Amino acid sequence: MTGSGPETVPLTVLDGDDRTELAVEPGRNLRRALLEAGLSPYAAATRRLNCGGRGLCATCGVRIREGPAPEHWHDRLADRFGYPRLSCQVTVDGPMTVELVDKLVWGSRARPESEE
């Protein structure tokens, strides 16, 4: 890699009690990075039935605990109202921490801080 940027950035993935540390090339799509590492952002029912990362089905949602601010309009609305952000619409440009979401099909709203 040429230039002054890092060759990889850390991506921490939380899945229940499991924590996985990945090294991801900057500019990678979050959904693709997760799938290539064997970590699925999908529910069991949507692992095969999804839009393939085009931002249409809303089934690849994850909670971004540390990472980029939302840029895509859908991403901004999801963040604003407490829904998971679509991993297919997020670019890994720096260190990130994401949490895979337990869901039947689509992600659920975040619980208020008082309930956590």
Side-chain angles (χ1 to χ4, degrees):
M1 177 178 192
T2 60
S4 60
E7 289 187 30
T8 62
V9 293
L11 171 61
T12 302
V13 183
L14 308 174
D15 185 9
D17 292 333
D18 294 334
R19 179 185 185 99
T20 304
E21 302 286 340
L22 303 173
V24 178
E25 294 175 30
R28 293 290 314 212
N29 175 272
L30 176 58
R31 175 188 166 274
R32 286 189 202 119
L34 290 170
L35 290 172
E36 288 171 4
L39 301 165
S40 178
Y42 296 109
T46 58
R47 284 196 178 132
R48 290 178 173 253
L49 302 172
N50 59 70
C51 71
R54 293 186 294 275
L56 301 172
C57 69
T59 60
C60 66
V62 298
R63 299 227 182 266
I64 299 181
R65 299 294 182 201
E66 175 188 341
E71 292 181 5
H72 183 269
W73 68 267
H74 185 280
D75 204 23
R76 286 193 304 269
L77 285 173
D79 186 59
R80 179 177 177 190
F81 291 105
Y83 287 94
R85 292 170 57 188
L86 300 183
S87 61
C88 68
Q89 300 299 311
V90 176
T91 301
V92 180
D93 282 333
M96 291 181 68
T97 299
V98 302
E99 179 182 352
L100 301 182
V101 179
D102 272 340
K103 51 195 164 192
L104 294 174
V105 176
W106 290 276
S108 59
R109 278 182 62 132
R111 287 179 281 156
E113 295 292 325
S114 62
E115 292 181 20
E116 291 185 4

PDB file of all heavy atoms in Angstrom, residues 75-114:
ATOM      1  N   ASP A  75     -29.038   5.538   7.201  1.00  0.00           N
ATOM      2  CA  ASP A  75     -28.142   5.362   8.337  1.00  0.00           C
ATOM      3  C   ASP A  75     -28.387   6.451   9.386  1.00  0.00           C
ATOM      4  O   ASP A  75     -28.426   6.183  10.576  1.00  0.00           O
ATOM      5  CB  ASP A  75     -26.701   5.408   7.817  1.00  0.00           C
ATOM      6  CG  ASP A  75     -25.709   4.703   8.709  1.00  0.00           C
ATOM      7  OD1 ASP A  75     -26.118   3.816   9.480  1.00  0.00           O
ATOM      8  OD2 ASP A  75     -24.518   5.042   8.631  1.00  0.00           O
ATOM      9  N   ARG A  76     -28.565   7.692   8.940  1.00  0.00           N
ATOM     10  CA  ARG A  76     -28.829   8.796   9.871  1.00  0.00           C
ATOM     11  C   ARG A  76     -30.152   8.590  10.610  1.00  0.00           C
ATOM     12  O   ARG A  76     -30.244   8.813  11.806  1.00  0.00           O
ATOM     13  CB  ARG A  76     -28.831  10.134   9.129  1.00  0.00           C
ATOM     14  CG  ARG A  76     -27.451  10.610   8.726  1.00  0.00           C
ATOM     15  CD  ARG A  76     -27.450  12.062   8.271  1.00  0.00           C
ATOM     16  NE  ARG A  76     -28.377  12.326   7.192  1.00  0.00           N
ATOM     17  CZ  ARG A  76     -28.089  12.250   5.888  1.00  0.00           C
ATOM     18  NH1 ARG A  76     -26.868  11.909   5.514  1.00  0.00           N
ATOM     19  NH2 ARG A  76     -28.990  12.521   4.979  1.00  0.00           N
ATOM     20  N   LEU A  77     -31.194   8.168   9.886  1.00  0.00           N
ATOM     21  CA  LEU A  77     -32.493   7.933  10.527  1.00  0.00           C
ATOM     22  C   LEU A  77     -32.427   6.781  11.526  1.00  0.00           C
ATOM     23  O   LEU A  77     -32.980   6.867  12.626  1.00  0.00           O
ATOM     24  CB  LEU A  77     -33.568   7.651   9.476  1.00  0.00           C
ATOM     25  CG  LEU A  77     -34.055   8.860   8.701  1.00  0.00           C
ATOM     26  CD1 LEU A  77     -34.999   8.431   7.580  1.00  0.00           C
ATOM     27  CD2 LEU A  77     -34.747   9.851   9.617  1.00  0.00           C
ATOM     28  N   ALA A  78     -31.774   5.696  11.152  1.00  0.00           N
ATOM     29  CA  ALA A  78     -31.633   4.555  12.060  1.00  0.00           C
ATOM     30  C   ALA A  78     -30.923   4.981  13.337  1.00  0.00           C
ATOM     31  O   ALA A  78     -31.379   4.673  14.448  1.00  0.00           O
ATOM     32  CB  ALA A  78     -30.868   3.424  11.373  1.00  0.00           C
ATOM     33  N   ASP A  79     -29.833   5.713  13.207  1.00  0.00           N
ATOM     34  CA  ASP A  79     -29.077   6.176  14.362  1.00  0.00           C
ATOM     35  C   ASP A  79     -29.928   7.104  15.223  1.00  0.00           C
ATOM     36  O   ASP A  79     -29.962   6.981  16.441  1.00  0.00           O
ATOM     37  CB  ASP A  79     -27.802   6.877  13.889  1.00  0.00           C
ATOM     38  CG  ASP A  79     -26.891   7.258  15.033  1.00  0.00           C
ATOM     39  OD1 ASP A  79     -26.466   6.350  15.785  1.00  0.00           O
ATOM     40  OD2 ASP A  79     -26.604   8.462  15.189  1.00  0.00           O
ATOM     41  N   ARG A  80     -30.650   7.991  14.593  1.00  0.00           N
ATOM     42  CA  ARG A  80     -31.469   8.965  15.319  1.00  0.00           C
ATOM     43  C   ARG A  80     -32.556   8.293  16.150  1.00  0.00           C
ATOM     44  O   ARG A  80     -32.841   8.705  17.272  1.00  0.00           O
ATOM     45  CB  ARG A  80     -32.097   9.940  14.333  1.00  0.00           C
ATOM     46  CG  ARG A  80     -32.979  10.961  14.995  1.00  0.00           C
ATOM     47  CD  ARG A  80     -33.525  11.948  14.017  1.00  0.00           C
ATOM     48  NE  ARG A  80     -34.416  12.869  14.686  1.00  0.00           N
ATOM     49  CZ  ARG A  80     -35.186  13.715  14.073  1.00  0.00           C
ATOM     50  NH1 ARG A  80     -35.169  13.786  12.756  1.00  0.00           N
ATOM     51  NH2 ARG A  80     -35.971  14.506  14.751  1.00  0.00           N
ATOM     52  N   PHE A  81     -33.193   7.258  15.604  1.00  0.00           N
ATOM     53  CA  PHE A  81     -34.312   6.623  16.280  1.00  0.00           C
ATOM     54  C   PHE A  81     -33.951   5.333  17.021  1.00  0.00           C
ATOM     55  O   PHE A  81     -34.821   4.615  17.487  1.00  0.00           O
ATOM     56  CB  PHE A  81     -35.451   6.377  15.288  1.00  0.00           C
ATOM     57  CG  PHE A  81     -36.087   7.664  14.829  1.00  0.00           C
ATOM     58  CD1 PHE A  81     -35.826   8.149  13.565  1.00  0.00           C
ATOM     59  CD2 PHE A  81     -36.899   8.396  15.678  1.00  0.00           C
ATOM     60  CE1 PHE A  81     -36.391   9.348  13.140  1.00  0.00           C
ATOM     61  CE2 PHE A  81     -37.464   9.587  15.265  1.00  0.00           C
ATOM     62  CZ  PHE A  81     -37.208  10.073  13.997  1.00  0.00           C
ATOM     63  N   GLY A  82     -32.655   5.019  17.114  1.00  0.00           N
ATOM     64  CA  GLY A  82     -32.214   3.894  17.925  1.00  0.00           C
ATOM     65  C   GLY A  82     -32.251   2.540  17.245  1.00  0.00           C
ATOM     66  O   GLY A  82     -32.187   1.517  17.919  1.00  0.00           O
ATOM     67  N   TYR A  83     -32.358   2.510  15.925  1.00  0.00           N
ATOM     68  CA  TYR A  83     -32.340   1.240  15.208  1.00  0.00           C
ATOM     69  C   TYR A  83     -30.910   0.902  14.802  1.00  0.00           C
ATOM     70  O   TYR A  83     -30.065   1.783  14.679  1.00  0.00           O
ATOM     71  CB  TYR A  83     -33.228   1.308  13.957  1.00  0.00           C
ATOM     72  CG  TYR A  83     -34.694   1.297  14.278  1.00  0.00           C
ATOM     73  CD1 TYR A  83     -35.398   2.482  14.400  1.00  0.00           C
ATOM     74  CD2 TYR A  83     -35.366   0.096  14.484  1.00  0.00           C
ATOM     75  CE1 TYR A  83     -36.749   2.480  14.716  1.00  0.00           C
ATOM     76  CE2 TYR A  83     -36.716   0.085  14.795  1.00  0.00           C
ATOM     77  CZ  TYR A  83     -37.399   1.284  14.915  1.00  0.00           C
ATOM     78  OH  TYR A  83     -38.724   1.268  15.231  1.00  0.00           O
ATOM     79  N   PRO A  84     -30.616  -0.375  14.552  1.00  0.00           N
ATOM     80  CA  PRO A  84     -29.279  -0.739  14.069  1.00  0.00           C
ATOM     81  C   PRO A  84     -28.978  -0.066  12.732  1.00  0.00           C
ATOM     82  O   PRO A  84     -29.883   0.194  11.942  1.00  0.00           O
ATOM     83  CB  PRO A  84     -29.368  -2.264  13.899  1.00  0.00           C
ATOM     84  CG  PRO A  84     -30.479  -2.688  14.787  1.00  0.00           C
ATOM     85  CD  PRO A  84     -31.463  -1.554  14.763  1.00  0.00           C
ATOM     86  N   ARG A  85     -27.716   0.206  12.513  1.00  0.00           N
ATOM     87  CA  ARG A  85     -27.274   0.803  11.245  1.00  0.00           C
ATOM     88  C   ARG A  85     -26.938  -0.308  10.259  1.00  0.00           C
ATOM     89  O   ARG A  85     -26.433  -1.353  10.637  1.00  0.00           O
ATOM     90  CB  ARG A  85     -26.078   1.709  11.501  1.00  0.00           C
ATOM     91  CG  ARG A  85     -26.499   2.932  12.314  1.00  0.00           C
ATOM     92  CD  ARG A  85     -25.347   3.745  12.813  1.00  0.00           C
ATOM     93  NE  ARG A  85     -24.482   4.183  11.740  1.00  0.00           N
ATOM     94  CZ  ARG A  85     -23.314   4.788  11.955  1.00  0.00           C
ATOM     95  NH1 ARG A  85     -22.886   5.028  13.174  1.00  0.00           N
ATOM     96  NH2 ARG A  85     -22.568   5.146  10.940  1.00  0.00           N
ATOM     97  N   LEU A  86     -27.217  -0.078   8.988  1.00  0.00           N
ATOM     98  CA  LEU A  86     -26.981  -1.090   7.961  1.00  0.00           C
ATOM     99  C   LEU A  86     -25.484  -1.242   7.715  1.00  0.00           C
ATOM    100  O   LEU A  86     -24.819  -0.305   7.276  1.00  0.00           O
ATOM    101  CB  LEU A  86     -27.686  -0.721   6.663  1.00  0.00           C
ATOM    102  CG  LEU A  86     -29.200  -0.566   6.736  1.00  0.00           C
ATOM    103  CD1 LEU A  86     -29.758  -0.279   5.357  1.00  0.00           C
ATOM    104  CD2 LEU A  86     -29.840  -1.790   7.338  1.00  0.00           C
ATOM    105  N   SER A  87     -24.965  -2.427   7.958  1.00  0.00           N
ATOM    106  CA  SER A  87     -23.528  -2.657   7.772  1.00  0.00           C
ATOM    107  C   SER A  87     -23.126  -2.507   6.309  1.00  0.00           C
ATOM    108  O   SER A  87     -21.977  -2.185   6.010  1.00  0.00           O
ATOM    109  CB  SER A  87     -23.125  -4.032   8.312  1.00  0.00           C
ATOM    110  OG  SER A  87     -23.798  -5.073   7.645  1.00  0.00           O
ATOM    111  N   CYS A  88     -24.062  -2.694   5.383  1.00  0.00           N
ATOM    112  CA  CYS A  88     -23.747  -2.562   3.956  1.00  0.00           C
ATOM    113  C   CYS A  88     -23.563  -1.107   3.539  1.00  0.00           C
ATOM    114  O   CYS A  88     -23.080  -0.839   2.440  1.00  0.00           O
ATOM    115  CB  CYS A  88     -24.823  -3.228   3.090  1.00  0.00           C
ATOM    116  SG  CYS A  88     -26.432  -2.404   3.124  1.00  0.00           S
ATOM    117  N   GLN A  89     -23.941  -0.171   4.407  1.00  0.00           N
ATOM    118  CA  GLN A  89     -23.833   1.252   4.088  1.00  0.00           C
ATOM    119  C   GLN A  89     -22.744   1.949   4.890  1.00  0.00           C
ATOM    120  O   GLN A  89     -22.652   3.167   4.894  1.00  0.00           O
ATOM    121  CB  GLN A  89     -25.183   1.947   4.339  1.00  0.00           C
ATOM    122  CG  GLN A  89     -26.315   1.401   3.510  1.00  0.00           C
ATOM    123  CD  GLN A  89     -26.064   1.554   2.021  1.00  0.00           C
ATOM    124  OE1 GLN A  89     -25.701   2.629   1.545  1.00  0.00           O
ATOM    125  NE2 GLN A  89     -26.240   0.479   1.265  1.00  0.00           N
ATOM    126  N   VAL A  90     -21.891   1.165   5.571  1.00  0.00           N
ATOM    127  CA  VAL A  90     -20.842   1.724   6.425  1.00  0.00           C
ATOM    128  C   VAL A  90     -19.477   1.333   5.874  1.00  0.00           C
ATOM    129  O   VAL A  90     -19.235   0.168   5.549  1.00  0.00           O
ATOM    130  CB  VAL A  90     -20.997   1.223   7.883  1.00  0.00           C
ATOM    131  CG1 VAL A  90     -19.849   1.712   8.759  1.00  0.00           C
ATOM    132  CG2 VAL A  90     -22.342   1.662   8.450  1.00  0.00           C
ATOM    133  N   THR A  91     -18.591   2.304   5.796  1.00  0.00           N
ATOM    134  CA  THR A  91     -17.213   2.082   5.354  1.00  0.00           C
ATOM    135  C   THR A  91     -16.296   2.097   6.568  1.00  0.00           C
ATOM    136  O   THR A  91     -16.402   2.978   7.419  1.00  0.00           O
ATOM    137  CB  THR A  91     -16.779   3.183   4.364  1.00  0.00           C
ATOM    138  OG1 THR A  91     -17.670   3.159   3.250  1.00  0.00           O
ATOM    139  CG2 THR A  91     -15.352   2.969   3.884  1.00  0.00           C
ATOM    140  N   VAL A  92     -15.420   1.123   6.652  1.00  0.00           N
ATOM    141  CA  VAL A  92     -14.440   1.055   7.741  1.00  0.00           C
ATOM    142  C   VAL A  92     -13.257   1.931   7.342  1.00  0.00           C
ATOM    143  O   VAL A  92     -12.446   1.539   6.521  1.00  0.00           O
ATOM    144  CB  VAL A  92     -13.977  -0.399   7.992  1.00  0.00           C
ATOM    145  CG1 VAL A  92     -12.968  -0.449   9.131  1.00  0.00           C
ATOM    146  CG2 VAL A  92     -15.157  -1.307   8.272  1.00  0.00           C
ATOM    147  N   ASP A  93     -13.206   3.129   7.926  1.00  0.00           N
ATOM    148  CA  ASP A  93     -12.111   4.047   7.625  1.00  0.00           C
ATOM    149  C   ASP A  93     -11.170   4.248   8.799  1.00  0.00           C
ATOM    150  O   ASP A  93     -10.094   4.803   8.656  1.00  0.00           O
ATOM    151  CB  ASP A  93     -12.655   5.411   7.198  1.00  0.00           C
ATOM    152  CG  ASP A  93     -13.152   5.408   5.765  1.00  0.00           C
ATOM    153  OD1 ASP A  93     -12.656   4.604   4.958  1.00  0.00           O
ATOM    154  OD2 ASP A  93     -14.049   6.207   5.452  1.00  0.00           O
ATOM    155  N   GLY A  94     -11.601   3.813   9.970  1.00  0.00           N
ATOM    156  CA  GLY A  94     -10.797   3.965  11.174  1.00  0.00           C
ATOM    157  C   GLY A  94     -11.210   2.913  12.173  1.00  0.00           C
ATOM    158  O   GLY A  94     -12.064   2.067  11.883  1.00  0.00           O
ATOM    159  N   PRO A  95     -10.626   2.944  13.375  1.00  0.00           N
ATOM    160  CA  PRO A  95     -10.976   1.963  14.396  1.00  0.00           C
ATOM    161  C   PRO A  95     -12.481   1.958  14.659  1.00  0.00           C
ATOM    162  O   PRO A  95     -13.104   3.025  14.731  1.00  0.00           O
ATOM    163  CB  PRO A  95     -10.204   2.427  15.629  1.00  0.00           C
ATOM    164  CG  PRO A  95      -9.073   3.238  15.082  1.00  0.00           C
ATOM    165  CD  PRO A  95      -9.616   3.899  13.840  1.00  0.00           C
ATOM    166  N   MET A  96     -13.045   0.763  14.779  1.00  0.00           N
ATOM    167  CA  MET A  96     -14.480   0.632  15.013  1.00  0.00           C
ATOM    168  C   MET A  96     -14.749  -0.481  16.012  1.00  0.00           C
ATOM    169  O   MET A  96     -14.000  -1.453  16.087  1.00  0.00           O
ATOM    170  CB  MET A  96     -15.225   0.264  13.713  1.00  0.00           C
ATOM    171  CG  MET A  96     -15.270   1.336  12.679  1.00  0.00           C
ATOM    172  SD  MET A  96     -16.196   0.798  11.214  1.00  0.00           S
ATOM    173  CE  MET A  96     -17.844   0.690  11.890  1.00  0.00           C
ATOM    174  N   THR A  97     -15.858  -0.323  16.730  1.00  0.00           N
ATOM    175  CA  THR A  97     -16.410  -1.387  17.559  1.00  0.00           C
ATOM    176  C   THR A  97     -17.868  -1.532  17.167  1.00  0.00           C
ATOM    177  O   THR A  97     -18.621  -0.553  17.209  1.00  0.00           O
ATOM    178  CB  THR A  97     -16.302  -1.059  19.065  1.00  0.00           C
ATOM    179  OG1 THR A  97     -14.926  -0.900  19.402  1.00  0.00           O
ATOM    180  CG2 THR A  97     -16.899  -2.165  19.909  1.00  0.00           C
ATOM    181  N   VAL A  98     -18.245  -2.727  16.741  1.00  0.00           N
ATOM    182  CA  VAL A  98     -19.630  -2.987  16.339  1.00  0.00           C
ATOM    183  C   VAL A  98     -20.168  -4.168  17.124  1.00  0.00           C
ATOM    184  O   VAL A  98     -19.417  -5.047  17.547  1.00  0.00           O
ATOM    185  CB  VAL A  98     -19.766  -3.249  14.817  1.00  0.00           C
ATOM    186  CG1 VAL A  98     -19.243  -2.075  14.024  1.00  0.00           C
ATOM    187  CG2 VAL A  98     -19.078  -4.520  14.403  1.00  0.00           C
ATOM    188  N   GLU A  99     -21.473  -4.175  17.312  1.00  0.00           N
ATOM    189  CA  GLU A  99     -22.141  -5.255  18.023  1.00  0.00           C
ATOM    190  C   GLU A  99     -23.145  -5.904  17.086  1.00  0.00           C
ATOM    191  O   GLU A  99     -23.991  -5.217  16.500  1.00  0.00           O
ATOM    192  CB  GLU A  99     -22.849  -4.695  19.248  1.00  0.00           C
ATOM    193  CG  GLU A  99     -23.587  -5.720  20.055  1.00  0.00           C
ATOM    194  CD  GLU A  99     -24.315  -5.106  21.239  1.00  0.00           C
ATOM    195  OE1 GLU A  99     -24.128  -3.910  21.525  1.00  0.00           O
ATOM    196  OE2 GLU A  99     -25.082  -5.846  21.865  1.00  0.00           O
ATOM    197  N   LEU A 100     -23.043  -7.223  16.926  1.00  0.00           N
ATOM    198  CA  LEU A 100     -24.029  -7.952  16.145  1.00  0.00           C
ATOM    199  C   LEU A 100     -25.324  -7.978  16.942  1.00  0.00           C
ATOM    200  O   LEU A 100     -25.307  -8.074  18.163  1.00  0.00           O
ATOM    201  CB  LEU A 100     -23.538  -9.364  15.836  1.00  0.00           C
ATOM    202  CG  LEU A 100     -22.220  -9.446  15.050  1.00  0.00           C
ATOM    203  CD1 LEU A 100     -21.872 -10.903  14.770  1.00  0.00           C
ATOM    204  CD2 LEU A 100     -22.290  -8.647  13.772  1.00  0.00           C
ATOM    205  N   VAL A 101     -26.446  -7.882  16.252  1.00  0.00           N
ATOM    206  CA  VAL A 101     -27.747  -7.715  16.896  1.00  0.00           C
ATOM    207  C   VAL A 101     -28.532  -9.015  16.853  1.00  0.00           C
ATOM    208  O   VAL A 101     -28.626  -9.649  15.805  1.00  0.00           O
ATOM    209  CB  VAL A 101     -28.541  -6.608  16.158  1.00  0.00           C
ATOM    210  CG1 VAL A 101     -29.913  -6.422  16.771  1.00  0.00           C
ATOM    211  CG2 VAL A 101     -27.764  -5.304  16.166  1.00  0.00           C
ATOM    212  N   ASP A 102     -29.102  -9.405  18.006  1.00  0.00           N
ATOM    213  CA  ASP A 102     -30.034 -10.534  18.030  1.00  0.00           C
ATOM    214  C   ASP A 102     -31.328 -10.059  17.383  1.00  0.00           C
ATOM    215  O   ASP A 102     -31.890  -9.038  17.778  1.00  0.00           O
ATOM    216  CB  ASP A 102     -30.347 -10.956  19.467  1.00  0.00           C
ATOM    217  CG  ASP A 102     -29.361 -11.957  20.003  1.00  0.00           C
ATOM    218  OD1 ASP A 102     -28.680 -12.606  19.190  1.00  0.00           O
ATOM    219  OD2 ASP A 102     -29.268 -12.083  21.229  1.00  0.00           O
ATOM    220  N   LYS A 103     -31.802 -10.769  16.379  1.00  0.00           N
ATOM    221  CA  LYS A 103     -33.018 -10.361  15.691  1.00  0.00           C
ATOM    222  C   LYS A 103     -33.674 -11.565  15.052  1.00  0.00           C
ATOM    223  O   LYS A 103     -33.019 -12.544  14.735  1.00  0.00           O
ATOM    224  CB  LYS A 103     -32.710  -9.295  14.642  1.00  0.00           C
ATOM    225  CG  LYS A 103     -31.571  -9.673  13.690  1.00  0.00           C
ATOM    226  CD  LYS A 103     -31.061  -8.478  12.929  1.00  0.00           C
ATOM    227  CE  LYS A 103     -29.717  -8.789  12.319  1.00  0.00           C
ATOM    228  NZ  LYS A 103     -29.035  -7.652  11.809  1.00  0.00           N
ATOM    229  N   LEU A 104     -34.978 -11.472  14.869  1.00  0.00           N
ATOM    230  CA  LEU A 104     -35.696 -12.514  14.147  1.00  0.00           C
ATOM    231  C   LEU A 104     -35.488 -12.317  12.655  1.00  0.00           C
ATOM    232  O   LEU A 104     -35.095 -13.212  11.943  1.00  0.00           O
ATOM    233  CB  LEU A 104     -37.176 -12.488  14.488  1.00  0.00           C
ATOM    234  CG  LEU A 104     -37.518 -12.838  15.935  1.00  0.00           C
ATOM    235  CD1 LEU A 104     -39.002 -12.647  16.195  1.00  0.00           C
ATOM    236  CD2 LEU A 104     -37.101 -14.260  16.251  1.00  0.00           C
ATOM    237  N   VAL A 105     -35.762 -11.133  12.158  1.00  0.00           N
ATOM    238  CA  VAL A 105     -35.538 -10.788  10.759  1.00  0.00           C
ATOM    239  C   VAL A 105     -34.812  -9.454  10.699  1.00  0.00           C
ATOM    240  O   VAL A 105     -33.701  -9.348  10.251  1.00  0.00           O
ATOM    241  CB  VAL A 105     -36.850 -10.725   9.962  1.00  0.00           C
ATOM    242  CG1 VAL A 105     -36.595 -10.271   8.532  1.00  0.00           C
ATOM    243  CG2 VAL A 105     -37.537 -12.085   9.954  1.00  0.00           C
ATOM    244  N   TRP A 106     -35.457  -8.401  11.196  1.00  0.00           N
ATOM    245  CA  TRP A 106     -34.854  -7.071  11.198  1.00  0.00           C
ATOM    246  C   TRP A 106     -34.397  -6.733  12.600  1.00  0.00           C
ATOM    247  O   TRP A 106     -34.844  -7.310  13.575  1.00  0.00           O
ATOM    248  CB  TRP A 106     -35.856  -6.021  10.704  1.00  0.00           C
ATOM    249  CG  TRP A 106     -36.134  -6.171   9.270  1.00  0.00           C
ATOM    250  CD1 TRP A 106     -35.398  -5.678   8.235  1.00  0.00           C
ATOM    251  CD2 TRP A 106     -37.204  -6.894   8.656  1.00  0.00           C
ATOM    252  NE1 TRP A 106     -35.938  -6.040   7.032  1.00  0.00           N
ATOM    253  CE2 TRP A 106     -37.054  -6.786   7.259  1.00  0.00           C
ATOM    254  CE3 TRP A 106     -38.280  -7.622   9.145  1.00  0.00           C
ATOM    255  CZ2 TRP A 106     -37.930  -7.366   6.367  1.00  0.00           C
ATOM    256  CZ3 TRP A 106     -39.150  -8.199   8.250  1.00  0.00           C
ATOM    257  CH2 TRP A 106     -38.973  -8.071   6.882  1.00  0.00           C
ATOM    258  N   GLY A 107     -33.515  -5.742  12.706  1.00  0.00           N
ATOM    259  CA  GLY A 107     -33.009  -5.316  14.007  1.00  0.00           C
ATOM    260  C   GLY A 107     -34.070  -4.615  14.828  1.00  0.00           C
ATOM    261  O   GLY A 107     -35.006  -4.040  14.305  1.00  0.00           O
ATOM    262  N   SER A 108     -33.914  -4.666  16.120  1.00  0.00           N
ATOM    263  CA  SER A 108     -34.870  -4.021  17.009  1.00  0.00           C
ATOM    264  C   SER A 108     -34.326  -2.684  17.479  1.00  0.00           C
ATOM    265  O   SER A 108     -33.139  -2.406  17.375  1.00  0.00           O
ATOM    266  CB  SER A 108     -35.143  -4.931  18.202  1.00  0.00           C
ATOM    267  OG  SER A 108     -33.936  -5.179  18.888  1.00  0.00           O
ATOM    268  N   ARG A 109     -35.228  -1.878  18.009  1.00  0.00           N
ATOM    269  CA  ARG A 109     -34.821  -0.577  18.539  1.00  0.00           C
ATOM    270  C   ARG A 109     -33.935  -0.761  19.753  1.00  0.00           C
ATOM    271  O   ARG A 109     -34.046  -1.743  20.477  1.00  0.00           O
ATOM    272  CB  ARG A 109     -36.043   0.230  18.956  1.00  0.00           C
ATOM    273  CG  ARG A 109     -36.700   0.927  17.816  1.00  0.00           C
ATOM    274  CD  ARG A 109     -37.858   1.719  18.318  1.00  0.00           C
ATOM    275  NE  ARG A 109     -37.415   2.736  19.243  1.00  0.00           N
ATOM    276  CZ  ARG A 109     -37.791   3.988  19.187  1.00  0.00           C
ATOM    277  NH1 ARG A 109     -38.623   4.387  18.272  1.00  0.00           N
ATOM    278  NH2 ARG A 109     -37.374   4.866  20.068  1.00  0.00           N
ATOM    279  N   ALA A 110     -33.100   0.233  19.986  1.00  0.00           N
ATOM    280  CA  ALA A 110     -32.261   0.215  21.184  1.00  0.00           C
ATOM    281  C   ALA A 110     -33.146   0.406  22.407  1.00  0.00           C
ATOM    282  O   ALA A 110     -34.113   1.157  22.364  1.00  0.00           O
ATOM    283  CB  ALA A 110     -31.220   1.338  21.113  1.00  0.00           C
ATOM    284  N   ARG A 111     -32.813  -0.281  23.496  1.00  0.00           N
ATOM    285  CA  ARG A 111     -33.532  -0.082  24.734  1.00  0.00           C
ATOM    286  C   ARG A 111     -33.060   1.215  25.352  1.00  0.00           C
ATOM    287  O   ARG A 111     -31.881   1.565  25.247  1.00  0.00           O
ATOM    288  CB  ARG A 111     -33.280  -1.227  25.689  1.00  0.00           C
ATOM    289  CG  ARG A 111     -33.998  -2.492  25.250  1.00  0.00           C
ATOM    290  CD  ARG A 111     -33.715  -3.608  26.186  1.00  0.00           C
ATOM    291  NE  ARG A 111     -32.386  -4.118  25.833  1.00  0.00           N
ATOM    292  CZ  ARG A 111     -31.581  -4.777  26.632  1.00  0.00           C
ATOM    293  NH1 ARG A 111     -31.935  -5.025  27.861  1.00  0.00           N
ATOM    294  NH2 ARG A 111     -30.418  -5.202  26.231  1.00  0.00           N
ATOM    295  N   PRO A 112     -33.946   1.957  26.025  1.00  0.00           N
ATOM    296  CA  PRO A 112     -33.503   3.162  26.737  1.00  0.00           C
ATOM    297  C   PRO A 112     -32.411   2.806  27.745  1.00  0.00           C
ATOM    298  O   PRO A 112     -32.396   1.696  28.279  1.00  0.00           O
ATOM    299  CB  PRO A 112     -34.768   3.652  27.448  1.00  0.00           C
ATOM    300  CG  PRO A 112     -35.899   3.039  26.686  1.00  0.00           C
ATOM    301  CD  PRO A 112     -35.367   1.732  26.138  1.00  0.00           C
ATOM    302  N   GLU A 113     -31.525   3.744  27.998  1.00  0.00           N
ATOM    303  CA  GLU A 113     -30.404   3.511  28.920  1.00  0.00           C
ATOM    304  C   GLU A 113     -30.893   2.982  30.268  1.00  0.00           C
ATOM    305  O   GLU A 113     -30.237   2.155  30.875  1.00  0.00           O
ATOM    306  CB  GLU A 113     -29.608   4.810  29.145  1.00  0.00           C
ATOM    307  CG  GLU A 113     -28.908   5.308  27.890  1.00  0.00           C
ATOM    308  CD  GLU A 113     -27.774   4.391  27.460  1.00  0.00           C
ATOM    309  OE1 GLU A 113     -27.095   3.816  28.322  1.00  0.00           O
ATOM    310  OE2 GLU A 113     -27.575   4.237  26.243  1.00  0.00           O
ATOM    311  N   SER A 114     -32.057   3.392  30.731  1.00  0.00           N
ATOM    312  CA  SER A 114     -32.564   2.965  32.033  1.00  0.00           C
ATOM    313  C   SER A 114     -32.903   1.483  32.061  1.00  0.00           C
ATOM    314  O   SER A 114     -32.947   0.868  33.118  1.00  0.00           O
ATOM    315  CB  SER A 114     -33.807   3.776  32.421  1.00  0.00           C
ATOM    316  OG  SER A 114     -34.837   3.548  31.461  1.00  0.00           O
TER     317      SER A 114
END
